[in-house]
Amino acid sequence: MKGGLRSRTANLSLLLAATAVVCFGQLPSSDSTSYAAKVVTQTGQVSILKDSQPWALSVGEAVHVKDLIMTGPDGHAVLEVSDGSTFEVFPNSRVLFRKNPPNWKDLLDVLVGRVRIHIEHFGNMPNPNRILTPTAVISVRGTTFDVSVDDDDETTLVEVEDGQVEVQHALLPRGNPRVLSPGETLRVYRNEPLEAGVIDKGTLARRILRSMVDAVTTLATRMPNSGTSGVGGIGGGPSVGDTTKIPPPPPPPLP
């Protein structure tokens, strides 16, 4: 009986050891391409920092673990990760991609600026991810939302478009998370407890206005500089919308 117990114990130990080896072997390295993000669209000044120097990004290129994404005043990019989730980086932003390997659920550190994140579900299963800012920790399981970080005081603004988001303070003692639903927003201040932040229940009109502003911003970053003023202006003629009247031609000479 004791021999059988020892045998089963030894077999169980071997099984656990083998499982540990397999699981450890499945952990990706910090530079695994499976955990990179691909640039789907890009306009304007979008780069990553390499050896303390900015390197311009273009469509189809990869952003790897611990890369710092930077956008200029006209910079805009959409990036996609392997599970189909995407994040959109707006102008004048600094975003650190997957800073904490092997904790692959820490997707982004938004240092300053604005991003829009869409987290895909795994079928009917949640897909836990975290977005971190200097003042907030944002946990999601499949949703679409915006995160903005103010350059002056690091205030974080969280705006939820779809799904639910849990927000914790990153600096002050944490209590219960604030849960945001679609149309709700929350500001997280550096020196104020999370409970002091008022959840603003947004309206359809405000969401429509934000979408219109985003569309105009994106269009502006994609329009090339033509070097001419106004619309039209071909051949030196008046542009569309020009209210200057053209004088009539002179009368024919008298016979």
Side-chain angles (χ1 to χ4, degrees):
M1 184 67 179
K2 290 182 179 179
L5 180 59
R6 285 196 297 269
S7 177
R8 288 195 296 274
T9 301
N11 290 337
L12 180 59
S13 299
L14 289 173
L15 178 61
L16 291 175
T19 303
V21 169
V22 171
C23 291
F24 182 80
Q26 289 177 342
L27 288 176
S29 61
S30 61
D31 61 350
S32 172
T33 55
S34 298
Y35 288 83
K38 183 178 68 174
V39 180
V40 179
T41 68
Q42 174 270 329
T43 55
Q45 183 183 349
V46 182
S47 59
I48 58 175
L49 200 62
K50 286 187 177 181
D51 300 324
S52 301
Q53 296 293 327
W55 289 67
L57 285 176
S58 58
V59 172
E61 292 188 323
V63 172
H64 296 283
V65 171
K66 297 185 177 181
D67 277 348
L68 177 64
I69 305 167
M70 304 180 296
T71 57
D74 63 344
H76 176 273
V78 176
L79 297 96
E80 183 179 31
V81 297
S82 59
D83 65 3
S85 299
T86 60
F87 59 96
E88 184 175 1
V89 187
F90 289 87
N92 295 319
S93 299
R94 301 289 183 271
V95 180
L96 190 57
F97 178 66
R98 296 198 195 276
K99 184 182 72 174
N100 298 317
N103 188 359
W104 305 109
K105 294 306 178 183
D106 284 356
L107 181 64
L108 299 176
D109 281 59
V110 184
L111 307 180
V112 68
R114 176 177 167 228
V115 297
R116 173 178 290 158
I117 301 106
H118 171 73
I119 302 297
E120 286 283 352
H121 288 276
F122 287 137
N124 294 325
M125 299 294 292
N127 181 11
N129 279 266
R130 293 202 312 174
I131 309 300
L132 299 99
T133 78
T135 52
V137 178
I138 305 154
S139 301
V140 297
R141 296 189 174 186
T143 183
T144 304
F145 62 104
D146 281 40
V147 176
S148 303
V149 178
D150 190 89
D151 192 18
D152 294 328
D153 58 7
E154 297 180 333
T155 297
T156 296
L157 175 65
V158 184
E159 304 173 90
V160 179
E161 180 179 323
D162 182 61
Q164 285 191 326
V165 165
E166 290 186 355
V167 182
Q168 290 273 16
H169 206 292
L171 301 174
L172 301 179
R174 298 181 185 179
N176 295 325
R178 304 295 296 271
V179 179
L180 305 182
S181 297
E184 295 182 338
T185 67
L186 176 67
R187 290 186 186 274
V188 183
Y189 298 97
R190 184 177 185 86
N191 297 318
E192 294 185 15
L194 195 64
E195 291 76 12
V198 177
I199 295 178
D200 181 15
K201 297 183 182 297
T203 63
L204 178 61
R206 188 175 65 189
R207 292 200 296 272
I208 292 175
L209 179 60
R210 168 55 70 91
S211 298
M212 292 173 62
V213 171
D214 288 344
V216 172
T217 301
T218 302
L219 180 62
T221 61
R222 293 180 179 179
M223 290 180 63
N225 293 326
S226 62
T228 60
S229 60
V231 181
I234 299 175
S239 62
V240 175
D242 192 348
T243 57
T244 302
K245 294 183 178 180
I246 301 175
L254 294 175

